[in-house]
């Protein structure tokens, strides 16, 4: 960091040099430090910044004024954005305080993320698309209320290239037609879960938007007719057909003859697709890079294998749930030498010998998913470790026969390993973790249900794997406060931590957790020893906490919740089920946490109906999803339920 | 296949017989006139044969016409057909040629079908494409065979003109003709053939015997085709190439055309649209009108000479259907004249009660329209409506820039806090936090009572000033030091801040 003495020299740097320096800062925390140095630096920051992700909407007007060069705006974390807010932003926020040029910030905007903006409707969207003439990318995924009118509003953005409409549940062919006609330059379109879309809409889309490179129609009830239309897209590179129940091998025949640029295809979970369908696809597209066929093959047949010999460029293959023989591995490894990722989750017939054959030639493998391949042992792991030196991700959940020997090999050879899933591998012990901790790049470690590990093992991780940002210790009953101390001393970058059912953890352990400033996700179900003191320590220390699950933490008292209400301003999701929270504390938590979007409030032993009602009233403007005790359905006032419904809040009754 | 072969065989057996030419002709007469047959001439009594010479002739002619109208894939078949229809004299050797050609053709087809059956077991690779092609081939061949067959028969019929005599014929053969040839023809041909049969059975009182078929064809068309009012008349006459002068032109006056009744009771003066109805009416005037003779359909005097064909002219000067027009196209029947005159030269006085926009001058047109009115729920931005979604999408595919229109009644009221109200409430141009927050909260609290004892709306919405709320007893709790760096820069690069939102399980 810059020292005080050198600041004069730094200030003498010209603006363009400062901009260059600024652009070299990758981490957000570094940029934050940069702009806090002085006004000049701060000015550089505001001039250079292109992307903005807003977490608290109340600062949005100021921020938009401060950053005039924005190209990308992410409002997905703002639950409260609605048509009124959009209108205000466009009419009131100019570059200067008295500037007549209204909505200036929107002129240069190219990318807009409005995911989960359930408060927004077509009039607001229309205002936005009109105000942003350069708009190229829009994300309105998970806006469940969006339909044809919203699509019509979006279709006025004629320059649109990328559009994500996942789970816009009301969207029909009519809305899709609007977009297809209006945004003819579209290159990327995702329509997952838009259940009303039929073949007619897809057909029109393929005729109007001929530049499409990416199309995802996963989960739609489209038939082979749609595939016939899609086959005419000459530029299509990525096609997502996941879990389309009505397509089958006949439809894939069209793909064989069409889509000459196809690189990636996903037919996983398509009930109608069999290996003969995949044969068509493979036969027609020798340059395929990625083949995703999980849970649609019963067996990797020899005919398919024979065709796959030609896929010399294949990088990713996922055949989860299929039966696979040892000779198949031989064929794959002999022909698909550029394979980078292979997914064999829940495959039957994966043996040590098979894996050894596979890795003998596929030395570029970086991602290997062997989840639930129960018969593999340390022999296979050793072979993987020895051959695939560039391995980044290894998933061996439920492979019970893996012991410290295998981990020793991994720790010796796979020094690039970033992610390992050892959930439910009861062969893992402290010694194994010691070996594994040699992989200093490790960022994601899952040790759920590994009951044989203790504080000692965790201390190895804490002292060596300093880059860890996700750690899963679900039901690791051997872990206690000392382990967490070691962890908090080393793994300062930890963002996601699961401590559920680690019964030994007490308030002291949570105090260590409080030292993890980057922590955003904390799951600590059923920690019976912790009280309000521990929760307060977490709330005060973990300022970025966004997701907190403390179901069944029955001993936590109101003081802890009050602390939560005052300190955890960034909290977005909370699970307070089976907690002893009082009415007052509940109102505080729900009312004061201005970013809260989702709350689970089942079986609150110390709360009354009135308390819940008041708490809901306090947060009804922004809450999006709430889970409540089923009998409350008839006890809460209909007024509050109507308000919640009107605001687009989903209520789950339990 | 079997059926076709049988047809072929039977024809071969029959054709060499010399008398068969007349047979065909008279069979037709039987078919049309026999009261015991399926035809519904209940009020009719055995008519003299002679009157129907002409009928047969026109029928054969119309038969050919209809054949030409059959939608055809194969141009060569069309040529063949026209050739066949041109044959004026019956030439047994030509007939034999035709039949042997048919035989060959059928054998070819048979082989093809055998092939298909044999392949069915093996081909797994691309079953659809091949099968469709084969089916198309078979259909095309069948069609050509059927057309050839009928045209052969047609040439036979046309030759009847010369050799016509008053010979009677056996009903058995009649059955053979009617029962074998026609029902065995493909569906496509049925389109062309059946209107004649049906036509004969439906019209109880044609203006004259010649026009039975055309009249009916027209009437049916009126019911089927709704929009193209003029077109259907033309459709009905398509292919009729009567030379000027070969027919008699009649022109009814406007009053005659528009008169509601054309048949009047000579005793009481009551008017009727149909003379059959008049005859029914006459029975009430005395027993003399109840005799079979009086109830029978009046027929033209029988003569061996063919009667002159009658065609009609529209009285409206300048109309294409008027005889003085350069490209005069005559109307076939009186009904055609009536419908034409009403549709083209009269006010459209019948208005659809559902949509209140469509107007018609012929009541039958209105009724047809009403059957479909209101079903056009698919609307294009250009204003065109469609009864089917796929038709709309086809239209949109075809026309650049057209989009489906979203019905206006679906517009939902925009949620509280839309532009006008909100902007008015923000007084200051300088957009600071408190004014923004208060404006939002004012708008929102207007629709819902959220405060629950909190009077200050600002306090509720501002996360920074919770202590203004009247939650008694909470003031004691230590307020955290205001962390400026964190809260005023509450944004993060999405890359560095990986908030994955959990969706419900």
């Amino acid at each position: 960091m810059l020292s005080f003495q050198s600041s004069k020299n730094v200030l003498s740097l010209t603006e363009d040099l400062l901009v260059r320096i600024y652009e070299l800062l990758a981490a957000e925390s570094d940029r934050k430090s940069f702009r806090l140095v002085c006004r000049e630096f701060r000015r550089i920051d505001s001039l250079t910044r292109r992307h903005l992700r807003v977490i608290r909407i109340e600062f949005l007007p100021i921020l938009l004024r401060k950053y005039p060069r924005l190209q990308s705006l992410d409002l997905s974390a703002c639950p409260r954005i609605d048509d009124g807010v959009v209108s205000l932003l466009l009419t009131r926020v100019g570059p200067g305080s008295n500037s007549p040029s209204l909505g200036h910030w929107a002129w240069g905007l190219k990318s807009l993320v409005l995911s989960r903006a359930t408060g927004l409707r077509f009039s607001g969207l229309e205002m936005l698309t009109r105000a942003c003439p350069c708009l190229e990318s829009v994300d309105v995924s998970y806006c469940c209320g969006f339909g044809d009118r919203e699509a019509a509003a979006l279709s006025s953005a004629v320059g649109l290239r990328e559009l994500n409409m996942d789970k816009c549940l009301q969207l029909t062919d009519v809305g899709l037609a609007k977009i297809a006609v209006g945004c003819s330059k579209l290159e990327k379109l995702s329509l997952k879960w838009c259940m009303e879309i039929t073949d007619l809409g897809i057909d029109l889309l393929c005729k109007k938007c001929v530049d499409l490179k990416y199309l995802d129609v996963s989960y739609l009830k489209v038939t082979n007719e749609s595939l016939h239309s899609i086959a005419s897209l000459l530029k299509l590179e990525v096609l997502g057909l996941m879990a389309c129940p009505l397509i089958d091998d006949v439809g894939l025949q069209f793909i064989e003859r069409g889509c000459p640029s196809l690189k990636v295809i996903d037919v996983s979970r398509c009930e109608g697709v069999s290996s003969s369908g995949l044969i068509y696809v493979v036969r027609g597209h020798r340059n395929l890079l990625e083949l995703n066929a999980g849970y649609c093959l019963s067996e990797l047949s020899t005919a398919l294998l024979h065709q796959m010999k030609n896929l010399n460029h294949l990088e990713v293959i996922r055949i989860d749930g299929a039966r696979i023989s040892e000779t198949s591995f031989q064929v794959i490894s002999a022909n698909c030498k550029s394979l980078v990722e292979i997914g064999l989750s829940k495959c039957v017939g994966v043996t040590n010998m098979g894996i050894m054959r596979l890795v003998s030639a596929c030395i570029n493998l970086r991602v290997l998913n062997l989840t639930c391949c129960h018969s593999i042992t340390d022999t296979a792991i050793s072979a993987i470790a020895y051959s695939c030196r560039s391995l980044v991700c290894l998933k061996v959940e439920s492979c019970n026969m893996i012991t410290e020997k295998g981990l020793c090999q991994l720790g010796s050879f796979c020094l690039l390993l970033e992610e390992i899933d050892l959930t439910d591998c009861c062969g893992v012990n402290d010694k194994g973790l010691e070996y594994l901790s040699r992989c200093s790049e490790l960022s994601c470690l899952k040790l759920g249900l590994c009951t044989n590990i203790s504080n000692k093992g965790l201390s190895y991780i804490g002292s060596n794997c300093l880059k860890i940002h996700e750690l899963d210790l679900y039901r690791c009953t051997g872990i206690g406060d000392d382990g967490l101390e070691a962890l908090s001393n080393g793994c300062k970058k930890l963002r996601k931590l699961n401590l559920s059912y680690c019964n030994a953890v007490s308030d002291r352990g949570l105090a260590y957790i409080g030292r993890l400033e980057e922590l955003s996700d904390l799951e600590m179900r059923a920690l019976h020893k912790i009280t309000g003191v521990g929760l307060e320590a977490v709330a005060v220390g973990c300022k970025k906490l966004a997701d907190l699950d403390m179901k069944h933490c029955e001993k936590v008292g109101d003081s802890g919740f009050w602390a939560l209400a005052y300190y955890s301003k960034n909290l977005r999701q909370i699970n307070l089920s089976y907690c002893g929270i009082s009415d007052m504390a509940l109102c505080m938590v729900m009312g004061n946490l201005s970013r809260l979007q989702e709350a689970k409030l089942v079986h609150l032993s110390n709360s009354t109906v009135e308390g819940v009602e008041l708490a809901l009233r306090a947060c009804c403007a922004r809450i999006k999803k709430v889970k409540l005790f089923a009998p409350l359905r008839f006890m809460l006032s209909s007024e509050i339920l109507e308000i919640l419904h009107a605001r687009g809040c989903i209520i789950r009754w339990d | 296949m079997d059926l076709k072969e049988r047809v072929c065989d039977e024809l071969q057996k029959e054709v060499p017989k010399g008398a068969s030419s007349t047979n065909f002709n008279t069979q037709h007469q039987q078919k049309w006139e026999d009261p015991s047959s399926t035809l519904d001439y209940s009020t009719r009594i055995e008519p003299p044969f002679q009157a129907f010479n002409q009928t047969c002739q026109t029928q054969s002619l119309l038969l050919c016409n209809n054949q030409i109208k059959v939608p055809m894939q194969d141009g060569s078949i069309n040529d063949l057909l026209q050739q066949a229809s041109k044959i004026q004299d019956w030439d047994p050797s030509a007939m034999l040629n035709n039949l042997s050609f048919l035989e060959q053709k059928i054998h070819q087809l048979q082989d093809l079908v055998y092939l298909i059956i044999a392949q069915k077991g093996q081909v797994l690779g691309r079953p659809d494409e091949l099968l469709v092609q084969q089916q198309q081939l078979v259909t095309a061949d069948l069609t050509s065979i059927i057309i050839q067959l009928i045209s052969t028969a047609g040439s036979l019929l046309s030759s009847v003109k010369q050799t016509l005599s008053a010979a009677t014929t056996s009903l058995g053969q009649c059955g053979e003709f009617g029962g074998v040839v026609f029902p065995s023809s493909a569906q496509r041909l049925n389109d062309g053939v059946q209107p004649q049969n049906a036509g004969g059975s439906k019209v109880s009182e044609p203006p004259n015997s010649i026009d039975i078929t055309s009249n009916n064809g027209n009437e049916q068309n009126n019911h089927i085709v709704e929009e193209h009012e003029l077109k259907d008349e033309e459709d009905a006459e398509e292919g009729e190439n009567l030379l000027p002068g070969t027919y008699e032109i009649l022109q009814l006056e406007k009053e005659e055309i528009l008169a509601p009744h054309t048949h009047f009771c000579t005793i009481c003066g009551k008017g009727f649209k149909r003379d059959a109805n008049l005859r029914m009416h006459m029975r009430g005037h005395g027993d003399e009108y109840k005799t079979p003779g009086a109830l029978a359909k009046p027929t033209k005097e029988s003569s061996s000479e063919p009667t002159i064909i009658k065609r009609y002219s529209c009285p409206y000067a300048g109309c294409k259907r008027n005889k003085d027009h350069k490209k005069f196209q005559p109307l076939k029947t009186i009904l055609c004249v009536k419908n034409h005159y009403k549709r083209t030269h009269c006010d459209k006085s019948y208005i659809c009660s559902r949509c209140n926009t469509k107007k018609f001058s012929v009541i039958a047109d209105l009724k047809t329209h009403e059957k479909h009115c209101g079903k056009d729920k698919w609307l294009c931005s250009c204003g065109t409506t469609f009864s089917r979604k796929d038709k709309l999408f086809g239209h949109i595919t075809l026309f650049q820039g057209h989009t489906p229109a979203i019905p206006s009644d679906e517009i939902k009221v925009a949620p509280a806090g839309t532009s006008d109200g909100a902007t008015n409430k923000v007084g200051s141009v300088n957009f600071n936090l408190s004014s923004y927050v208060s404006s939002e909260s004012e708008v929102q609290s207007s629709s819902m009572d959220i405060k629950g004892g909190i009077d200050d709306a600002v306090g509720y919405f501002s996360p920074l000033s919770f202590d203004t709320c009247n939650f008694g007893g909470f003031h004691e709790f230590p307020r955290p030091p205001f962390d400026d760096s964190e809260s005023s820069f509450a944004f993060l690069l999405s890359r560095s801040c990986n908030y994955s939102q959990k969706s419900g399980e």
Side-chain angles (χ1 to χ4, degrees), chain B residues 42-56:
Chain B
S42 50
T43 58
R44 193 95 55 90
I45 292 170
E46 281 296 323
F49 274 128
Q50 302 297 6
F52 290 87
N53 299 343
Q54 208 55 49
T55 321
C56 287

Side-chain angles (χ1 to χ4, degrees), chain A residues 28 32 35 42 49 51-53 55-56 58-59 61 63 65-67 80 83-85 87-88 91-92 97 116 148-149 173-174 177-178 181 198 200 204 207-208 253 280 495 520 523 543-544 546-547 562 566-567 569-570 572-573 584 588 592 594 597-598 600 617-618 620 625 643 647, chain B residues 125-126 129 378 389-390 393 396-397 399 401-404 406-408 410-412 414-419 422-423 426 429-431 433 436 439-440 444 448-450 452 460-461 463 466 471 474 477 479-480 483 485-487 489-494 496 498-499 501-505:
Chain A
E28 172 56 25
K32 187 172 164 183
R35 70 173 164 258
R42 188 168 176 148
R49 195 177 187 102
H51 175 83
L52 183 64
R53 179 182 152 96
I55 291 175
R56 292 194 209 160
E58 54 266 27
F59 299 113
L63 291 171
R65 213 157 40 216
K66 199 182 279 175
Y67 295 109
R80 285 154 72 191
D83 294 354
V85 173
S87 160
L88 278 169
T91 50
R92 288 289 160 195
S97 56
R116 292 172 208 272
D148 294 344
R149 301 204 152 269
D173 289 341
V174 172
K178 284 267 181 201
V181 173
T198 69
L200 275 178
L204 187 75
K207 280 175 181 150
K208 294 285 182 184
Q253 241 179 311
Y280 296 134
R495 294 206 294 259
S520 67
E523 196 179 317
K543 291 203 182 67
K544 291 190 173 174
D547 188 345
W562 287 342
Y566 273 96
Y567 291 98
K569 292 290 183 189
N570 288 318
R572 279 197 311 201
Q573 299 186 45
M584 281 300 180
M588 289 275 288
N592 211 24
S594 58
Q597 295 180 29
E598 188 180 337
K600 290 179 179 163
R617 278 177 187 272
C620 64
K625 205 168 176 181
I643 292 169
R647 298 290 306 188
Chain B
R126 0 175 162 162
E129 189 193 47
W378 299 101
K389 187 175 163 190
D390 55 333
F393 275 68
I396 286 163
T397 313
F399 293 96
H402 288 208
T403 61
I406 301 166
S408 55
E410 273 177 32
I411 298 175
K412 291 161 200 159
T418 40
S419 52
T423 42
V426 183
V429 184
N430 199 350
F431 198 85
L433 171 66
Y436 167 67
S439 74
E440 194 197 353
Q444 281 163 341
M448 53 190 96
D449 178 28
I450 335 153
Y460 163 63
F461 274 100
F466 189 80
F471 276 120
F474 286 145
F477 198 84
R479 242 192 99 197
D483 181 6
S485 63
E486 185 58 32
S487 49
F489 297 98
F491 44 76
L492 293 155
L493 277 170
S494 64
S496 62
N498 190 17
Y499 287 108
Q501 235 164 333
K502 275 185 184 174
S503 53
E505 301 97 278

